[in-house]
Amino acid sequence: NAAAIASLSTALVSGLSSSQVENLSTANISGLNAAGLSATNILGLETRDLAVLTTGQIAAVTASAAPGLTTAQLSSLSTSNTGTLGTSGVVFLSTAAVNNLASVQVANLSSVQVSYLTTDQLKALTSANIVGLQMGLLDTAKLATIDAADFQGFNAVAVATLSTALVSGLSTAQLAGLTSVNIRGLDVSGISSANVLGLQADDLQGITTAQIAAFTVDNVVGLTTAQLSSLTQLIGGTAAIRSIETADIAVMLSQQIDALGSGQVGLLSTSQLQALTSVNIVALDMSGLTTAQVAVIDTADFAGFNAAAIASLSTALVSGLSSSQVENLSTANISGLNAAGLSATNI
């Protein structure tokens, strides 16, 4: 009976074989001193027995025994353990036990179990075992408690479970914890102007062109020149800069445009060049543009260029300017004009 089982000390329970544990009944297991279970004999606990463990017994499972639990056994820690509908028995695992769980155990927690993990348990997860946690099932408050360092452990699939709202609630430190591999799962449309600075320049080189296109006008403005430079490198042989939407180009700051090298500027599409304004176009390095590209720049924008930008135009590029574009040069920036390129038409 349960009283007889309760008379077993921690040491004696530890010495039980998995077969002996397996033969406990749902009636007498209530007397088991779970603190004595080991990673070996804990495998003897059948799912029907785990479902009737008390919250005290679950809490008594040690850090050394917890890794022995199978995913099926963890799934058996359910609402019946608490007697309260809507609560998972997993919440009664100690932080030490949670800390020592294997990544496959964490990855296989059910949606109900993940949603009921406590903030202390979430903090106890490590960058090694947190890898497959379904983060999208957490609320913003719980997500905020996960250590920034643990974000490097997530796989891209786990990161992809984060909704736009959850991404928006991430701290800059948590975003900084992402890697160039798992960042590919990030819904970048949820990044806010407040946390966009958390994106590391080297990680940005890992994102896809589709993600770049998903950047909003608010978070593009928040990018530093170093971030923008990384964002516009070649990704998979494709010019990532082409994925920046025209609406985003239009709100970029002049220092961001200035940070683009001639090679990157030369990859801008016609619509992107036309999206530039007389405000942010001021320092555009046009030396990498073709005559066809220069021709599509709005004539009104030529008044905004500084002298250095105008000076970046080669003789051939100056020759290709329209008379309207030349006409809109200002008395300030015309000092940079390479007059040798003027033609009988545009002079």
Side-chain angles (χ1 to χ4, degrees):
N1 58 28
I5 298 300
S7 68
L8 293 171
S9 65
T10 304
L12 290 176
V13 171
S14 178
L16 294 176
S17 69
S18 59
S19 296
Q20 289 174 316
V21 172
E22 183 179 348
N23 277 279
L24 292 172
S25 68
T26 53
N28 63 23
I29 201 170
S30 61
L32 182 69
N33 181 353
L37 291 169
S38 67
T40 304
N41 65 18
I42 200 170
L43 290 172
L45 289 176
E46 297 192 340
T47 53
R48 68 172 187 271
D49 299 331
L50 282 159
V52 297
L53 288 180
T54 65
T55 56
Q57 286 175 305
I58 297 172
V61 172
T62 64
S64 59
L69 289 167
T70 65
T71 54
Q73 287 176 311
L74 278 171
S75 296
S76 297
L77 297 175
S78 61
T79 56
S80 58
N81 298 115
T82 66
T84 304
L85 187 64
T87 305
S88 170
V90 168
V91 304
F92 295 99
L93 283 173
S94 68
T95 53
V98 170
N99 179 266
N100 222 26
L101 290 176
S103 59
V104 67
Q105 291 174 302
V106 176
N108 282 285
L109 291 176
S110 69
S111 57
V112 172
Q113 291 175 319
V114 171
S115 65
Y116 280 101
L117 288 173
T118 67
T119 53
D120 285 338
Q121 287 176 316
L122 287 168
K123 288 179 181 178
L125 290 169
T126 68
S127 57
N129 66 13
I130 205 170
V131 57
L133 180 71
Q134 301 177 68
M135 293 190 290
L137 299 171
L138 301 175
D139 57 33
T140 51
K142 286 185 178 179
L143 187 61
T145 66
I146 296 179
D147 293 336
D150 291 341
F151 273 74
Q152 66 182 324
F154 288 114
N155 57 34
V157 175
V159 174
T161 66
L162 291 173
S163 65
T164 303
L166 289 175
V167 171
S168 179
L170 293 175
S171 68
T172 53
Q174 288 175 317
L175 278 175
L178 293 173
T179 68
S180 59
V181 176
N182 64 20
I183 199 173
R184 293 174 186 173
L186 187 68
D187 179 359
V188 297
S189 64
I191 295 173
S192 67
S193 54
N195 64 15
V196 70
L197 291 176
L199 295 173
Q200 300 298 290
D202 55 345
D203 295 339
L204 282 169
Q205 293 182 22
I207 72 174
T208 65
T209 52
Q211 286 175 299
I212 295 174
F215 270 95
T216 66
V217 293
D218 288 333
N219 54 41
V220 164
V221 172
L223 289 171
T224 65
T225 53
Q227 287 174 313
L228 189 63
S229 179
S230 290
L231 191 67
T232 54
Q233 300 299 318
L234 292 179
I235 295 178
T238 303
I241 196 169
R242 286 282 182 92
S243 299
I244 300 177
E245 296 182 332
T246 53
D248 299 334
I249 292 282
V251 298
M252 283 187 180
L253 305 177
S254 58
Q255 56 263 41
Q256 291 177 308
I257 300 298
D258 185 27
L260 297 176
S262 59
Q264 293 171 316
V265 171
L267 294 171
L268 290 171
S269 67
T270 298
S271 56
Q272 287 175 315
L273 285 167
Q274 290 176 326
L276 290 166
T277 68
S278 57
V279 176
N280 65 13
I281 205 170
V282 58
L284 182 71
D285 183 350
M286 293 187 284
S287 62
L289 296 177
T290 63
T291 52
Q293 285 176 304
V294 173
V296 303
I297 297 176
D298 292 338
T299 55
D301 291 342
F302 274 77
F305 286 116
N306 60 30
I310 297 300
S312 70
L313 290 169
S314 65
T315 304
L317 290 177
V318 170
S319 178
L321 294 177
S322 68
S323 58
S324 296
Q325 289 174 318
V326 173
E327 182 180 350
N328 275 279
L329 292 172
S330 67
T331 53
N333 65 23
I334 200 170
S335 62
L337 183 67
N338 182 353
L342 290 171
S343 67
T345 305
N346 65 19
I347 197 169

